[in-house]
Amino acid sequence: MHEMTRLLLVLSAFGSISSNLCFAAEPARKEVLILYGLQSHMPVVQDWDRGIRQTIEENVSGPVRIETEFLDLLRIEDIAYRDQWLALLASKYQGSAPDVLITVFDPALNFLLESRDKLFPTVPVVFCSAHFYQRAGVQLPPDVTGVTYGLSYAETLTLANQLRPNTRKAIVVAGTSDFGNLMLNEAKDVLAKSDLEVDYLSGLTVEQTLGKIAGAPADSMVLFLVYVRDPNGRQHYANDVLSRLSSVAPVPVYSLWDTNVGSGAVGGLSL
């Protein structure tokens, strides 16, 4: 089921939120605030925003005003930056809290859960595109619910082996961000069950990673997870790094994100 359709079902089924969005008895305009964990220009964010707005427009009757904030918390993870966002949101929405909050992607949900008591303690929250691996075992408040996703590590390895049956080694690329480490740990759990030899490239600069990829053996494949920060703290755009890696890779490069296709990844079972 498409993620936006599932998001609508969550909105409709979740009692406190559906009542907030019910316009039969309350014709007054309702306020929805969407917090994105990434930057506004990224293709995946544009897809998310278009889908959420279309879903609300087609399925909710009555006036709705949608506000958006693009937090860019995947690339910038330092505490001072988060505190600045906390102060800005507290000031901007003081006395005008939204009726419903929607968070999109894990950094936005994590930020809100950590600061909710200071910002919007009584506003219901619906999250979208939250990683189930990170949510596993986490007890959420009763007025916080949403849609999780999983990444197709094992399925992508199977696909790579079908396309190139001589594949014996997987080279896994990740940067040093918190989200990169999360993906890396999940990949290790999956790849530990495979017959492939695995080389994890994490904690390296882009240039060091390029050197490793350029020397990849013919019976290997590259699995690109994410790369938004190097060990020196320098920030990067994942698609730019992927494009550079693909240009030197003598073997196919796979990705778990459909927005990476076109930046050098040949494919994969992507989200």
Side-chain angles (χ1 to χ4, degrees):
M1 187 183 297
H2 193 278
E3 185 170 359
M4 294 311 157
T5 303
R6 288 187 287 150
L7 180 64
L8 171 66
L9 292 177
V10 171
L11 280 165
S12 301
F14 194 40
S16 61
I17 292 181
S18 61
S19 64
N20 276 359
L21 290 178
C22 176
F23 297 96
E26 291 186 51
R29 183 180 68 191
K30 298 298 180 179
E31 308 287 337
V32 176
L33 174 58
I34 308 175
L35 300 180
Y36 289 96
L38 304 176
Q39 294 173 298
S40 60
H41 69 272
M42 299 182 71
V44 66
V45 173
Q46 295 171 8
D47 288 345
W48 280 330
D49 195 61
R50 184 164 48 247
I52 292 174
R53 290 175 183 273
Q54 181 178 343
T55 299
I56 292 176
E57 179 181 346
E58 293 178 352
N59 296 277
V60 178
S61 60
V64 180
R65 184 172 70 177
I66 300 175
E67 296 280 354
T68 55
E69 303 287 351
F70 302 94
L71 308 181
D72 196 17
L73 292 170
L74 181 63
R75 289 192 314 125
I76 308 174
E77 296 175 334
D78 67 86
I79 295 176
Y81 178 76
R82 298 167 73 89
D83 287 344
Q84 289 173 346
W85 264 115
L86 178 59
L88 175 62
L89 293 173
S91 175
K92 184 174 181 178
Y93 295 98
Q94 184 178 16
S96 59
D99 296 289
V100 177
L101 270 163
I102 298 176
T103 67
V104 185
F105 207 37
D106 299 275
L109 176 58
N110 294 337
F111 170 79
L112 183 62
L113 291 177
E114 293 168 2
S115 57
R116 188 183 179 207
D117 289 344
K118 300 176 182 178
L119 291 173
F120 311 108
T122 62
V123 177
V125 177
V126 175
F127 57 81
C128 177
S129 293
H131 199 292
F132 83 92
Y133 187 83
Q134 192 168 3
R135 306 271 77 82
V138 177
Q139 185 66 41
L140 295 173
D143 57 351
V144 177
T145 190
V147 178
T148 60
Y149 71 90
L151 295 170
S152 302
Y153 298 92
E155 294 83 356
T156 296
L157 293 179
T158 299
L159 174 64
N161 190 60
Q162 291 172 346
L163 295 175
R164 299 177 76 239
N166 65 330
T167 301
R168 300 289 180 267
K169 181 176 183 178
I171 303 173
V172 182
V173 177
T176 59
S177 66
D178 291 344
F179 188 72
N181 290 334
L182 171 72
M183 290 189 68
L184 191 65
N185 289 334
E186 186 177 19
K188 287 179 178 180
D189 288 346
V190 174
L191 290 170
K193 304 171 186 176
S194 77
D195 296 328
L196 294 174
E197 176 188 352
V198 185
D199 188 6
Y200 295 100
L201 303 185
S202 178
L204 303 178
T205 65
V206 173
E207 289 70 25
Q208 290 170 332
T209 305
L210 288 172
K212 296 282 188 180
I213 295 298
D219 61 351
S220 65
M221 59 163 284
V222 177
L223 180 59
F224 180 83
L225 301 182
V226 67
Y227 197 113
V228 294
R229 194 175 67 218
D230 65 23
N232 298 320
R234 183 182 175 189
Q235 298 164 7
H236 298 270
Y237 290 104
N239 280 16
D240 292 344
V241 176
L242 173 59
S243 180
R244 293 181 64 186
L245 294 181
S246 300
S247 69
V248 302
V251 295
V253 180
Y254 296 85
S255 172
L256 304 172
W257 309 95
D258 58 6
T259 51
N260 287 156
V261 177
S263 294
V266 299
L269 289 183
S270 55
L271 180 70

